[in-house]
Amino acid sequence: MEPAERAALVENALAILRENDRGAYTVPTRGLYPFQWNWDSCLTALGLGHHDEDRAWREIETLFGHQWPDGMVPHIVFHVPDDGYFPGPDVWRTKRPVPTSGITQPAVAGFAVRRLFERARDPAMAAARARPLLAAIDRWHQWFFAHRDPAGEGLVAIIHPWESGRDNSIDWDEALARVPRDGIEPYARRDLQHADAAHRPTDADYDRFVWLLERFRGLGWDNARLHDASPFQVVDPGFNAILIRSCHDLAALAERLGDDELAARNRAFAERGLAALESLWSEAAGQYLACDRTTGRLVESCSIGGLLAAFAPIPARRAEALGRRIAALGERAGHLVPSHDPADARFDARRYWRGPIWLICNYMIADGLAAAGEDVIARRIGADSIDLIGKSGFAEYYDPLTAEPCGGGRFTWTAAMVLEFLKTTGEQPGDRG
Ligand code: DGY
């Protein structure tokens, strides 16, 4: 890439981060997502860190300032009122001092904090900022295994599709079909005021999202009860891989900072999780698959969830197989990595998580594959990501067949990931320690 082209991309990405900056946190995009989202913030912090380390740490500190007493870190913090989003705090009714949602999201914080720490230009500041976060993230990890893995399997279940961050993935169709649609309070979607309905989840999906929310609200958001009371319990390889990677990275960071007990606990979570992840491998699919915990069966759905497993330090033969699988997807789609296999009749190129490409997934998959020595495919993913930006700007997600931009525009984490891809282009594979 020409230096001028690269400079323009960086300038555009920074402009988007500035535009969506609300001082101590960043909104994913104006209009569609006007609050702080959990994994958006942690990944955005990596982008912020390139130019302002203090601001990057603050992004994560703000999120953890709203951690629940039981250790959960909610998926949305409603810092300021905004009518443009449904469901708002009046629907969640979680009774937190600053309103939050009542469910969580993929646990990328341990990974993000280690990366910020290791890149820090100011190591003393980084150590001072990392220590309290280390303890808070550890509490969150303990919360996951206590409340989302009650039988001690080593893997956690999501109890609401929103927890995965991949709201309408085909992976959830079967389990979500068991969730009723009736008996919910009347509501009006707001997302369709900001984005094309053909790019968003359907009304039937939304009814079930709301049903689950109301079920958990009816149980007073008591996490000791929610898992068993949920008709939706899915063990997702992507969600677990992110948690495993965060446990692994938190352990490495704790060792650096001299907290051996915390390190040992998180190392054990990661090792147990990695061993259990094997139960989600499908030789026939050539990738990991989700498991429906209520039936005990693997879900026949080849989505990006199974490819995100590459983000965890999985065995080399698995990383190699995922690399091959992604290369095969590249032959079916113009760009990598589609969130669902285009060969599946349920694939929908523009509908949110049923086909489109998301740069955060590209980043995590490429990072894991590079660390496993799968450089060629990791580089292809990076190159495709930058190519999408050149063709279609900083969208929320992209049609993998045509590169068309979808969902919201001027998207924060897309901008952050572009800064990350530009930084890592040509660098050595990431260190897994
Ligand atoms: C939404 O509202 O679309 C979010 O994905 C839920 O967090």
Side-chain angles (χ1 to χ4, degrees):
M1 182 186 299
E2 296 297 322
E5 213 181 319
R6 195 182 175 96
L9 274 186
V10 170
E11 202 176 303
N12 275 334
L14 291 175
I16 291 170
L17 293 183
R18 276 195 302 273
E19 206 170 285
N20 293 331
D21 189 347
R22 297 293 175 270
Y25 68 95
T26 314
V27 299
T29 186
R30 271 193 293 196
L32 187 58
Y33 298 120
F35 310 107
Q36 183 177 24
W37 262 259
N38 183 326
W39 71 326
D40 291 71
S41 262
C42 294
L43 292 166
T44 294
L46 298 177
L48 293 170
H50 294 295
H51 295 269
D52 188 345
E53 285 183 5
D54 171 62
R55 180 65 188 79
W57 287 104
R58 189 158 338 126
E59 184 77 21
I60 302 180
E61 288 160 355
T62 302
L63 176 69
F64 277 84
H66 300 275
Q67 184 168 25
W68 283 23
D70 69 1
M72 186 185 79
V73 184
H75 99 295
I76 308 174
V77 183
F78 298 104
H79 291 282
V80 289
D82 191 309
D83 284 347
Y85 180 79
F86 171 85
D90 53 319
V91 182
W92 290 95
R93 296 177 222 156
T94 54
K95 304 195 178 116
R96 298 289 305 144
V98 171
T100 72
S101 70
I103 54 173
T104 194
Q105 242 182 356
V108 285
F111 155 73
V113 163
R114 180 185 180 192
R115 187 144 286 184
L116 281 183
F117 179 85
E118 289 185 344
R119 278 185 189 163
R121 293 179 290 277
D122 181 346
M125 190 228 336
R129 308 291 280 268
R131 272 181 220 285
L133 284 173
L134 199 68
I137 298 169
D138 174 49
R139 284 184 58 227
W140 190 22
H141 291 174
Q142 292 189 61
W143 173 88
F144 267 116
F145 291 103
H147 294 294
R148 299 306 172 77
D149 179 22
E153 293 170 15
L155 297 175
V156 301
I158 52 164
I159 59 170
H160 193 298
W162 281 338
E163 290 199 312
S164 68
R166 309 197 319 273
D167 305 1
N168 67 341
S169 168
I170 291 163
D171 297 350
W172 325 138
D173 285 0
E174 221 177 286
L176 201 59
R178 288 195 295 269
V179 175
R181 288 182 70 182
D182 52 341
I184 52 177
E185 291 171 6
Y187 69 93
R189 291 178 64 170
R190 302 282 159 75
D191 56 317
L192 303 183
Q193 294 169 352
H194 309 287
D196 185 338
H199 297 178
R200 294 284 305 170
T202 62
D203 287 344
D205 291 332
Y206 257 80
D207 286 351
R208 294 185 166 104
F209 296 159
V210 173
W211 191 96
L212 286 168
L213 184 164
E214 291 188 5
R215 169 94 177 114
F216 304 148
R217 190 181 67 198
L219 294 169
W221 299 110
D222 176 0
N223 273 302
R225 300 166 70 195
L226 302 191
H227 175 278
D228 290 355
S230 178
F232 182 92
Q233 298 170 5
V234 182
V235 179
D236 171 50
F239 192 90
N240 277 281
I242 291 170
L243 178 59
I244 290 167
R245 172 70 182 268
S246 273
C247 289
H248 175 88
D249 284 359
L250 203 70
L253 184 56
E255 270 158 23
R256 290 276 298 273
L257 294 173
D259 191 333
D260 294 341
E261 193 187 320
L262 194 153
R265 181 165 43 251
N266 280 276
R267 188 76 67 203
F269 284 150
E271 280 167 11
R272 218 159 47 102
L274 276 176
L277 202 60
E278 271 301 292
S279 66
L280 304 183
W281 178 260
S282 162
E283 205 54 54
Q287 66 165 83
Y288 297 86
L289 298 176
C291 176
D292 188 334
R293 192 173 261 173
T294 57
T295 63
R297 282 200 302 270
L298 290 184
V299 181
E300 295 298 326
S301 168
C302 288
S303 86
I304 200 154
L307 308 176
L308 269 168
F311 191 50
I314 52 174
R317 69 183 193 288
R318 298 289 184 230
E320 197 187 331
L322 290 182
R324 277 199 304 274
R325 168 105 185 100
I326 294 168
L329 288 174
E331 284 163 24
R332 297 201 263 285
H335 292 81
L336 288 172
V337 179
S339 50
H340 202 82
D341 188 340
D344 185 330
R346 299 166 294 182
F347 167 85
D348 184 337
R350 295 184 194 166
R351 200 178 285 282
Y352 214 38
W353 286 95
R354 299 176 80 85
I357 296 170
W358 294 71
L359 253 57
I360 41 132
C361 289
N362 280 11
Y363 173 71
M364 288 187 276
I365 292 171
D367 182 87
L369 289 176
E374 299 297 323
D375 293 332
V376 174
I377 190 71
R379 269 201 292 273
R380 157 97 199 259
I381 295 171
D384 280 15
S385 303
I386 296 298
D387 192 43
L388 283 169
I389 305 295
K391 287 186 170 127
S392 301
F394 293 78
E396 185 178 4
Y397 43 97
Y398 302 87
D399 180 327
L401 307 179
T402 63
E404 186 192 328
C406 303
R410 302 190 67 73
F411 222 83
T412 301
W413 69 7
T414 305
M417 293 302 98
V418 168
L419 294 174
E420 284 289 288
F421 274 121
L422 290 177
K423 178 183 164 54
T424 49
T425 302
E427 284 190 0
Q428 291 305 305
D431 165 44
R432 272 174 174 170

